[in-house]
Amino acid sequence: LETGCLSIVVLGASGDLAKKKTFPALFNLYRQGFLQSNEVHIFGYARTKLSDDELRDRICGYLSHGKENAEDLTKFLHLIKYVSGSYDDEEGFRSLDKAISEHEVSRNSTEGSARRLFYLALPPSVYPSVCKMIKNYCTNKSDLGGWTRIVVEKPFGKDLASAEQLSSQIGELFDEPQIYRIDHYLGKELVQNLLVLRFANRFFLPLWNRDNIDNVQIVFREDFGTEGRGGYFDEYGIIRDIIQNHLLQVFCLIAMEKPISIKPEHIRDEKVKVLQSVVPIKDEEVVLGQYEGYTEDPTVPDNSNTPTFATVILRIHNERWEGVPFILKAGKALNSRKAEVRVQFKDVPGDIFRCQKQGRNEFVIRLQPLEAIYMKLTVKQPGLEMSTAQSELDLSYRQRYQGITIPEAYERLILDTIRGDQQHFVRRDELKEAWEIFTPLLHRIDRGELKAVPYKPGSRGPTEADELLQRAGYVQTHGY
Ligand code: BG6
């Protein structure tokens, strides 16, 4: 890491995201020695009036610690100071600036090497005013070096127009290299592995196209509903919450062309290109569902048509992928919690073993839980008979990488923001293209032109989704 005074400001410090994700990630980074220099300070900012100790008490319970790191915990908590103020009033931000500057001066950072990271753990409705306040009152003003960076979370808007508006408002205040749009799926270990798998292995290079691949599924399932978040969720729905961002990012990494290098801009250029090649979604290639009991949440209107489940097929108009369905599927309150990519290959031509009905070759990347990469293939069943069976080449992380802790997505991404690496963040034009793809469909759903069908909580989701999968060419195989 660069040296120089570093101030990390968590805005919305007493909120859920900050408590559950941001502070725990910072603590983990601290424990691993990334924030240990005495030049680092953390500031919490929120409207509630709290003392430093009251904020520390609120977050302490969320930081995983035992006897062995009790000392780390105490030291970490002492790095945190609290400033209270509103999100649209200069007084609070002036006090925040004063607190940061005092820290910088006390650490002899007057030469201007001060670095200021603002993490907006806040609802997007306040992003424009908060960014304006930061810009006017809290940026690192020295022109001798150092930087000011802003980290924002989804949802970035509700559709193309609102997202573009938000982007312009923030873009007038900060340059693109200062803005870090988090999609936490990009911080997951196996998502980060996708480019390596695709472009560092001779196996896949010649096979990764329409001649060999029949269909691709990108699936997210959760075995719990919208518990406690009904109000937020009902305004957004599963497409805006999961598909338009998390699954679409995975889609890009699976479908994009090889970038000319691994520089962040080269990778993001390719992601934009593949997004631009997606053709308009057809209504008959969409299934929406809503789990029974969803509207019992008092914050959800009784007549809500918001989908808690969706299967959407994306099709790409280019030489590599013409005709290959990319089936993006996400649902809440289903029978399991899992996120995976399943690349299904075509049947072997001239199948002399007559074994194709046992199943096709599949390449599966299980993002979570129990991270794994495996290939389903046909082998001879051991024994005297010449019969075939489906089996797996299996790289399960638990077994292969025993003793290695896989970092949390937020931990990795916050470290990237400090390092200034934007590879795993969403660029403005990527975001625009992502909204271009889904906005017409979302508007049709919002107008009630497409209906969510009911499904039982704890089920696989609507049976219509399985039918769509089959129509798209997916062949169910058994085993894994
Ligand atoms: C969030 C969504 O972005 O991702 C939540 O808003 C969802 O609805 C969560 O539960 C899932 O994240 P993960 O890392 O647990 O798969």
Side-chain angles (χ1 to χ4, degrees):
L1 290 183
E2 300 162 296
T3 51
C5 192
L6 172 64
S7 303
I8 301 174
V9 183
V10 181
L11 297 119
S14 53
D16 245 27
L17 175 69
K19 281 189 301 205
K20 292 185 181 155
K21 299 286 182 192
T22 322
F23 284 115
L26 289 171
F27 180 48
N28 283 345
L29 289 175
Y30 177 82
R31 275 168 40 186
Q32 292 167 73
F34 289 107
L35 306 177
Q36 295 237 349
S37 101
N38 64 3
E39 297 185 320
V40 179
H41 227 108
I42 299 171
F43 297 87
Y45 183 93
R47 282 177 304 198
T48 325
K49 292 232 174 317
L50 295 175
S51 66
D52 293 348
D53 278 337
E54 281 166 332
L55 176 70
R56 292 169 186 156
D57 286 346
R58 285 195 181 196
I59 56 181
C60 180
Y62 293 91
L63 309 177
S64 57
H65 60 279
K67 275 209 191 89
E68 71 293 351
N69 56 15
E71 204 188 316
D72 274 351
L73 181 71
T74 315
K75 285 196 198 148
F76 173 75
L77 288 172
H78 270 94
L79 290 182
I80 304 175
K81 288 220 169 323
Y82 184 71
V83 178
S84 80
S86 78
Y87 295 120
D88 54 4
D89 169 39
E90 60 175 78
E91 204 185 314
F93 285 88
R94 280 188 195 277
S95 324
L96 180 60
D97 184 57
K98 191 160 161 269
I100 303 173
S101 302
E102 277 167 10
H103 158 62
E104 288 168 355
V105 171
S106 75
R107 296 294 183 274
N108 278 332
S109 189
T110 39
E111 310 85 55
S113 57
R115 298 166 293 156
R116 296 184 173 193
L117 182 70
F118 293 88
Y119 192 112
L120 276 60
L122 292 169
S125 54
V126 299
Y127 288 173
S129 72
V130 168
C131 286
K132 209 164 171 183
M133 292 290 150
I134 295 173
K135 172 79 182 183
N136 290 346
Y137 303 106
C138 298
T139 41
N140 171 30
K141 288 165 204 75
S142 162
D143 50 9
L144 292 169
W147 45 251
T148 302
R149 291 180 188 147
I150 306 289
V151 184
V152 286
E153 281 273 344
K154 70 153 213 295
F156 310 113
K158 282 194 78 178
D159 60 6
L160 180 59
S162 53
E164 277 292 279
Q165 192 190 6
L166 193 57
S167 292
S168 316
Q169 286 167 326
I170 302 179
E172 278 165 19
L173 300 165
F174 294 100
D175 297 332
E176 187 63 25
Q178 295 180 282
I179 305 169
Y180 289 72
R181 296 178 196 86
I182 282 202
D183 181 315
H184 79 281
Y185 265 59
L186 291 177
K188 291 190 186 273
E189 181 66 38
L190 286 221
V191 175
Q192 296 204 344
N193 201 351
L194 290 172
L195 284 193
V196 181
L197 286 171
R198 278 194 59 199
F199 298 119
N201 289 295
R202 189 70 197 233
F203 282 140
F204 300 118
L205 294 174
L207 297 183
W208 212 255
N209 54 43
R210 63 194 297 268
D211 297 334
N212 301 290
I213 292 177
D214 190 274
N215 61 77
V216 178
Q217 279 188 71
I218 304 171
V219 180
F220 166 97
R221 313 167 150 272
E222 261 176 359
D223 54 1
F224 49 90
T226 56
E227 283 121 43
R229 298 171 73 222
Y232 151 80
F233 190 87
D234 199 66
E235 226 189 289
Y236 290 90
I238 198 80
I239 297 178
R240 293 182 177 97
D241 190 47
I242 303 286
I243 299 183
Q244 181 268 357
N245 33 70
H246 303 329
L247 298 196
L248 196 65
Q249 282 296 330
V250 174
F251 161 85
C252 286
L253 296 168
I254 295 287
M256 66 189 241
E257 295 298 313
K258 185 172 180 168
I260 52 178
S261 84
I262 54 168
K263 287 197 181 127
E265 296 321 322
H266 292 157
I267 293 173
R268 300 194 296 178
D269 287 348
E270 291 306 329
K271 287 161 96 181
V272 170
K273 280 192 221 159
V274 74
L275 290 172
Q276 286 171 332
S277 313
V278 173
V279 304
I281 297 166
K282 292 202 188 95
D283 285 357
E284 60 274 23
E285 297 204 313
V286 176
V287 172
L288 306 175
Q290 186 186 82
Y291 66 83
E292 291 168 6
Y294 166 72
T295 55
E296 280 162 26
D297 180 327
T299 57
V300 172
D302 291 344
N303 61 352
S304 167
N305 181 44
T306 299
T308 59
F309 174 101
T311 299
V312 179
I313 297 185
L314 296 186
R315 293 183 181 272
I316 303 172
H317 182 63
N318 71 13
E319 196 174 322
R320 184 183 295 276
W321 294 120
E322 187 80 58
V324 179
F326 283 77
I327 305 151
L328 274 52
K329 179 159 93 176
K332 299 223 168 233
L334 297 177
N335 55 350
S336 61
R337 174 169 179 262
K338 193 192 263 189
E340 67 177 18
V341 180
R342 197 167 273 270
V343 180
Q344 187 170 75
F345 287 83
K346 290 182 187 284
D347 290 334
V348 172
D351 168 26
I352 55 173
F353 297 104
R354 306 266 183 257
C355 63
Q356 288 297 300
K357 48 183 183 319
Q358 285 174 340
R360 289 169 162 176
N361 286 161
E362 275 183 13
F363 178 52
V364 184
I365 302 120
R366 197 194 300 135
L367 308 177
Q368 67 187 35
L370 303 177
E371 292 85 347
I373 299 164
Y374 59 90
M375 279 197 225
K376 294 195 353 180
L377 70 177
T378 305
V379 295
K380 179 185 169 301
Q381 177 70 29
L384 292 174
E385 304 303 326
M386 188 59 178
S387 58
T388 60
Q390 281 272 302
S391 192
E392 302 84 28
L393 288 176
D394 185 356
L395 170 60
S396 283
Y397 274 43
R398 275 268 176 92
Q399 274 109 47
R400 182 68 184 80
Y401 299 115
Q402 279 174 25
I404 297 182
T405 314
I406 297 181
E408 276 290 316
Y410 277 94
E411 216 173 294
R412 214 189 284 264
L413 295 176
I414 292 176
L415 190 59
D416 284 349
T417 63
I418 299 171
R419 287 175 164 157
D421 181 349
Q422 290 197 308
Q423 174 176 337
H424 305 295
F425 294 83
V426 182
R427 205 167 66 184
R428 179 173 172 173
D429 51 350
E430 258 180 271
L431 178 66
K432 175 169 178 284
E433 295 304 332
W435 280 118
E436 292 260 7
I437 293 172
F438 286 100
T439 295
L441 171 65
L442 288 164
H443 283 173
R444 288 202 294 281
I445 300 170
D446 293 345
R447 288 195 299 264
E449 291 164 23
L450 282 171
K451 294 276 183 234
V453 295
Y455 62 93
K456 293 245 172 303
S459 70
R460 285 178 47 79
T463 49
E464 288 86 341
D466 288 332
E467 288 155 21
L468 175 60
L469 214 64
Q470 276 172 21
R471 283 207 305 280
Y474 177 70
V475 176
Q476 176 77 47
T477 54
H478 299 286
Y480 260 41

